[in-house]
Amino acid sequence: MTEKYKNIVILTGAGISAESGLSTFRAENGLWNKHRVEDVATIEAFERNPEYVHDFYNELRPELYKAQPNPAHSAITLLQDKYPADKISIVTQNVDTLHEKAGNKNIYHIHGQINQIVCLNCGHIFETWNDVHADDVCPHCHIQGMLKPNIVFFGENLLYMEKVDTLLKNCNLFLSIGTSGVVYPAAGFVQIAKMCGAYTCEFNMETTSNNYLFDRHIIGPAGTTLPKFVEELLI
Ligand code: OAD
């Protein structure tokens, strides 16, 4: 095996979870075709009608709890276990926990996690797979009505950005898996990695909007294409 890449960053989007039976956002039957982003995923929507927003995530939570990782997640586990890089990091836009369930390491949930709740009063973050309601009390500061799903809504800052910026600037292989590349700043990560000298490769079912920034395009379901790619890297 040639130790070609010292630092690898893997950006993932909803497409990597599609073969686990989870809906993507922008497909015909995707979440954003059934719900308006303005009603369930903006900070204004949450301020206007927190119970409605909680209901949306309460409905989604059990589905994500049940979902199981697919061969694309397992391929990342294999890569992290066997490839002699200094660091292989996962930057995910997904709020599901399939990377964790597959045993992946070094995971940064830049859009938050479905199983985390943040208190807007004291900042305390706790984990739960249970329903949460607008009038619930924070288990830490005991103030009522301040709990929010720890999911980054449009209009909020992404999580771990400083760390991710450093990872992108220092990586020499950048993989983008199952993301449409339309939501910034994640859509711009490929540009940072490429400018800093990384080889860039995307895995998708179709051509994406920032396609020209990738050195290699691997078209097909990630559950098939990623294990093959990892196998090639491990030769
Ligand atoms: P999208 O729904 O925008 O895009 C999913 C991408 O995955 C598409 O480009 C599909 O072609 C591709 N895809 C589908 N099945 C695949 C498969 N089996 N293998 C490989 N690729 C596949 O989802 P994201 O790009 O993740 O943010 O969306 C980005 C953000 O927009 C989300 O994190 C979410 C949303 O608004 C928040 O909610 C904060």
Side-chain angles (χ1 to χ4, degrees), residues 13-15 19 25-26 32 93 111 152 154 178-180 183 204-205 222:
E19 288 159 79
F25 292 93
R26 294 174 181 79
W32 292 164
Q93 299 166 87
H111 288 177
V152 176
F154 287 92
T179 177
S180 55
V183 177
N204 206 299
M205 301 289 284

Side-chain angles (χ1 to χ4, degrees), residues 66-85:
K66 276 186 259 146
Q68 290 305 313
N70 66 60
H73 299 98
S74 307
I76 296 176
T77 313
L78 184 67
L79 187 70
Q80 286 186 320
D81 284 351
K82 302 276 186 227
Y83 191 77

